[in-house]
Amino acid sequence: MIVPCLTHKVHKLIKQAHELAERNQHTYIQSIDLFLGAALVKEGTLREMHDLLEPYSEQLERLLKTLSPEPSSGIVIDSHSMPVSLNTLNIWNVSVNIMKRYNQTYLNEGHIIKAFFSLLSEQPQLEQGLQIVPQESIIQSVTVARNLSVHLLTRDWSLRKADQVKISSVQAYEKEHFLSWSGSHFGEVWSDTLRNAFQSNNPLIPIYKAEVEGRLIGFAAYDVFMDKKGVFGPMGVLPDFRHDGVGRRLLYAALESMKEKGYMYAMLIEAGPIEFYEKTCNAKLIPMEEGK
């Protein structure tokens, strides 16, 4: 089985699925174990998933006991788990493909739940049993980009770290080179959004860049998304540097600058790697009904 880098929540999800399978005397993790194990993590979007499933807990318990066993694959997700069923293996591999499609390097809970529902029609008994739960609400909560907020006044965001990566603000004269680079690596939509940073007469361009020996490897911006003030993003780091703390340094540089401008909060609109922001800057998830 392909094992990419896993987020903290996915590690917990696998552990919960393992324990759930053992409690129900499954000799390998079945897809229902993976699905309900996600809800048992009870963090962030998975807390919302748990709350959405809670009213149906008795029916789901009965479903666990009546489902026909799925065929085993004999394959183990990682060294801390048990073998998985063929259905779970398919869900896992599809989730990895979803992760790659979004050009991400960490497998998160959204990838797994999205894969689970995309393959649900292949399991008629399970599909029938899950008709009672609010599937669309779960999908919207767990699999789509979400809005978060960061309280800027709770800490000092300056991060002093001397290494080969240099973090600095983008200058006005760098406009065309920077926009060309961002467009080629992160797409024209983001590049067009970043262009807003250069429209103002303010000499401070609200974009920070990361460089290694003069080579651009990442950026973080604010106040550019739809020209809305107090909104952080977009941020991007080249794949080869995503495990080196570059994103964290860029994030902190931008948040410190926002704090210095007098903002009390930073809004993260349609943030993708939710757990990164939750762990790195204590970002708080905005509930779906308030974030629409």
Side-chain angles (χ1 to χ4, degrees):
M1 174 175 283
I2 302 170
V3 182
C5 295
L6 310 179
T7 65
H8 181 66
K9 287 179 191 169
V10 170
H11 278 293
K12 286 189 170 184
L13 185 159
I14 294 170
K15 183 174 182 293
Q16 290 289 350
H18 184 157
E19 293 177 357
L20 192 62
E22 287 186 328
R23 284 201 302 272
N24 288 279
Q25 299 181 328
H26 298 162
T27 55
Y28 44 87
I29 295 174
Q30 302 189 39
S31 50
I32 186 65
D33 300 317
L34 196 70
F35 177 69
L36 296 180
L40 292 174
V41 174
K42 301 180 187 178
E43 293 180 10
T45 59
L46 296 182
R47 161 58 71 178
E48 291 183 345
M49 179 180 174
H50 174 270
D51 292 345
L52 287 166
L53 291 177
E54 181 67 20
Y56 311 94
S57 56
E58 291 184 6
Q59 296 98 313
L60 292 171
E61 281 293 327
R62 286 197 295 271
L63 179 63
L64 264 170
K65 298 182 186 305
T66 58
L67 279 174
S68 300
E70 300 170 358
S72 175
S73 71
I75 296 175
V76 176
I77 288 180
D78 62 28
S79 59
H80 303 291
S81 191
M82 59 169 60
V84 298
S85 70
L86 281 174
N87 299 92
T88 301
L89 178 62
N90 289 338
I91 292 168
W92 186 267
N93 288 334
V94 169
S95 69
V96 172
N97 288 334
I98 292 171
M99 176 196 74
K100 292 177 178 178
R101 193 185 313 148
Y102 286 104
N103 195 29
Q104 295 174 339
T105 56
Y106 275 87
L107 190 72
N108 64 45
E109 69 276 15
H111 303 139
I112 293 173
I113 297 302
K114 189 169 188 175
F116 175 86
F117 280 110
S118 73
L119 297 174
L120 187 57
S121 62
E122 297 180 4
Q123 301 183 71
Q125 186 185 12
L126 180 58
E127 183 181 35
Q128 176 68 29
L130 290 181
Q131 285 183 354
I132 59 170
V133 305
Q135 296 185 21
E136 286 303 317
S137 294
I138 293 170
I139 291 169
Q140 285 296 310
S141 174
V142 183
T143 71
V144 302
R146 296 288 301 273
N147 298 345
L148 302 99
S149 66
V150 179
H151 190 189
L152 296 174
L153 305 185
T154 57
R155 61 184 295 179
D156 176 8
W157 298 103
S158 58
L159 183 62
R160 300 169 181 83
K161 182 180 179 183
D163 60 16
Q164 63 175 347
V165 179
K166 178 185 177 183
I167 307 294
S168 61
S169 58
V170 172
Q171 302 301 308
Y173 70 85
E174 299 176 289
K175 173 182 175 181
E176 295 307 325
H177 170 68
F178 176 78
L179 293 177
S180 174
W181 172 84
S182 62
S184 63
H185 289 284
F186 300 99
E188 291 303 321
V189 172
W190 275 18
S191 185
D192 288 343
T193 297
L194 292 166
R195 187 176 297 276
N196 293 329
F198 298 91
Q199 307 305 321
S200 170
N201 293 325
N202 192 326
L204 174 64
I205 307 298
I207 306 175
Y208 284 85
K209 62 182 178 178
E211 297 174 292
V212 173
E213 297 179 349
R215 174 195 172 197
L216 278 168
I217 63 168
F219 74 93
Y222 66 92
D223 285 0
V224 299
F225 179 74
M226 299 180 66
D227 287 329
K228 292 183 177 180
K229 302 301 181 183
V231 175
F232 172 84
M235 180 174 78
V237 177
L238 297 182
D240 289 346
F241 297 90
R242 290 180 185 170
H243 304 284
D244 300 330
V246 177
R248 179 169 176 258
R249 293 184 62 195
L250 284 165
L251 171 64
Y252 281 17
L255 294 181
E256 180 67 16
S257 181
M258 295 178 77
K259 179 180 175 181
E260 289 174 354
K261 286 189 70 171
Y263 295 137
M264 292 181 63
Y265 290 89
M267 296 298 299
L268 282 63
I269 305 298
E270 297 181 357
I274 293 172
E275 185 172 330
F276 168 77
Y277 293 110
E278 288 175 328
K279 292 177 63 177
T280 307
C281 60
N282 198 31
K284 301 300 182 184
L285 192 70
I286 298 176
M288 289 292 293
E289 61 270 20
E290 295 179 19
K292 292 181 181 179

